[in-house]
Amino acid sequence: FAPEAMVSHQCSPLYGATHAHIMASKKPRSSTVTAVATADDNKHFRKTNTAIGLKVREGRLTLLGRKVFNVMMYNAQKVKHPGVNAPIDSASAQKYFWIPLSDLAKDAAYDSKDTEFLKNSLEELQNIKLQMESDVRWTSERLVSSVTLVNPRGLKKHAGQVWFGYAFPPEVFEIVMSPETYTHMSIFFQGLLRSGAALALYEVCRRFATNPSHMTLIDTYEAWYAMLSGTPMDGSVPPPYKYWKRDTLKPAIAEVNTLTDITVELVEHKNGRRVERLQFRVELSKQPKLDFPTPPVID
């Protein structure tokens, strides 16, 4: 089971008075991951193709981690420069991007008061080591270099506004702020998806939706498993393909086809009876999706 589905609802002052009021007005839900954005929000961002389908070497990229990182990218591209909206006057604060913690939780579809779990998820982003490779460059780097929470009136207070600050390592900063080749992504559609595999599949396939071939690249089952699960390829043994296809891949395809603006079809490449390589056929949806609220996820 994904850890996002096991979050306890503990009251915490870290969101500040504004968030506490919002959370108190909501009815209890059975899930911490829900769709809270609407299509009219128009929160699009440019995600460099290098950052789509990242090859994780250490750590694990969870559903919440993927959503939070995308919100971080969206906010950084929106404000354009570190230091904007810095809640405190210090030299170090000018090196961070800043966003209200309540806005981060909303755009990441994190519907819980358990800020300790959210803090742990933010720290997990620092533990992710990845590799980026192009025709002329190979880079090994952490996904996020630094995260911080600041409330000028005190973190233990129920008053004031809590701000989330974050900084990217140099190479990640470059691909976030100045992507050479990129795909337009939507905060709205990521909020509808309820599994890490579905969100990863959507991002990879969305890149090829406008490609003349409408086909993703062909890769081994092991590589697709690592990409969609957010786990390192080295040292991990994926489950038998037929079980992974039944339990993870087919539900992820169903989510993407039902909830997003693309349709995805699995294409298997076999050696005899053994499926060795996979790719996906991708088309833009002919009919726009209706903005129905996402039903609760039942564990």
Side-chain angles (χ1 to χ4, degrees), residues 10 18 54 79 141 154 209 251 299:
Q10 302 169 356
T18 302
L54 287 172
V79 301
E141 199 164 46
D299 189 340

Short mmCIF file of all heavy atoms in Angstrom, two decimals, residues 10 18 54 79 141 154 209 251 299:
data_model
loop_
_atom_site.label_atom_id
_atom_site.label_comp_id
_atom_site.label_asym_id
_atom_site.label_seq_id
_atom_site.Cartn_x
_atom_site.Cartn_y
_atom_site.Cartn_z
N GLN A 10 -3.70 14.31 12.39
CA GLN A 10 -3.34 14.96 13.64
C GLN A 10 -3.41 16.47 13.45
O GLN A 10 -3.03 16.99 12.43
CB GLN A 10 -1.93 14.57 14.06
CG GLN A 10 -1.75 13.05 14.22
CD GLN A 10 -0.29 12.70 14.38
OE1 GLN A 10 0.57 13.55 14.29
NE2 GLN A 10 -0.03 11.43 14.64
N THR A 18 -4.88 30.71 8.83
CA THR A 18 -5.66 30.67 7.61
C THR A 18 -5.98 29.25 7.21
O THR A 18 -7.11 28.89 6.92
CB THR A 18 -4.89 31.38 6.46
OG1 THR A 18 -4.62 32.72 6.85
CG2 THR A 18 -5.71 31.36 5.18
N LEU A 54 12.27 10.46 -14.73
CA LEU A 54 13.59 10.54 -14.12
C LEU A 54 14.11 9.16 -13.74
O LEU A 54 13.36 8.30 -13.28
CB LEU A 54 13.53 11.43 -12.87
CG LEU A 54 13.38 12.92 -13.09
CD1 LEU A 54 13.14 13.62 -11.76
CD2 LEU A 54 14.61 13.49 -13.77
N VAL A 79 6.92 32.76 -10.16
CA VAL A 79 7.54 33.93 -9.51
C VAL A 79 8.85 34.33 -10.17
O VAL A 79 9.33 35.45 -10.01
CB VAL A 79 7.76 33.67 -8.01
CG1 VAL A 79 6.45 33.37 -7.31
CG2 VAL A 79 8.76 32.53 -7.76
N GLU A 141 22.75 14.19 -9.50
CA GLU A 141 22.45 15.28 -8.58
C GLU A 141 21.23 14.94 -7.73
O GLU A 141 20.44 14.05 -8.06
CB GLU A 141 22.17 16.57 -9.37
CG GLU A 141 22.29 17.84 -8.56
CD GLU A 141 22.39 19.05 -9.46
OE1 GLU A 141 21.61 19.14 -10.42
OE2 GLU A 141 23.25 19.90 -9.23
N GLY A 154 5.99 32.47 14.70
CA GLY A 154 6.33 31.29 15.49
C GLY A 154 5.68 30.03 14.95
O GLY A 154 4.47 30.00 14.72
N ALA A 209 2.01 12.88 -26.80
CA ALA A 209 0.64 13.01 -27.31
C ALA A 209 0.59 13.80 -28.61
O ALA A 209 -0.28 13.56 -29.46
CB ALA A 209 -0.24 13.67 -26.26
N PRO A 251 -4.51 -0.75 -13.85
CA PRO A 251 -5.22 0.31 -13.12
C PRO A 251 -4.70 1.70 -13.44
O PRO A 251 -5.48 2.66 -13.51
CB PRO A 251 -4.98 -0.06 -11.65
CG PRO A 251 -4.75 -1.53 -11.66
CD PRO A 251 -4.00 -1.79 -12.94
N ASP A 299 -8.71 2.39 0.94
CA ASP A 299 -7.60 1.47 1.11
C ASP A 299 -8.19 0.12 1.53
O ASP A 299 -8.64 -0.03 2.65
CB ASP A 299 -6.65 2.01 2.19
CG ASP A 299 -5.37 1.21 2.26
OD1 ASP A 299 -5.38 0.06 1.79
OD2 ASP A 299 -4.39 1.76 2.76
#
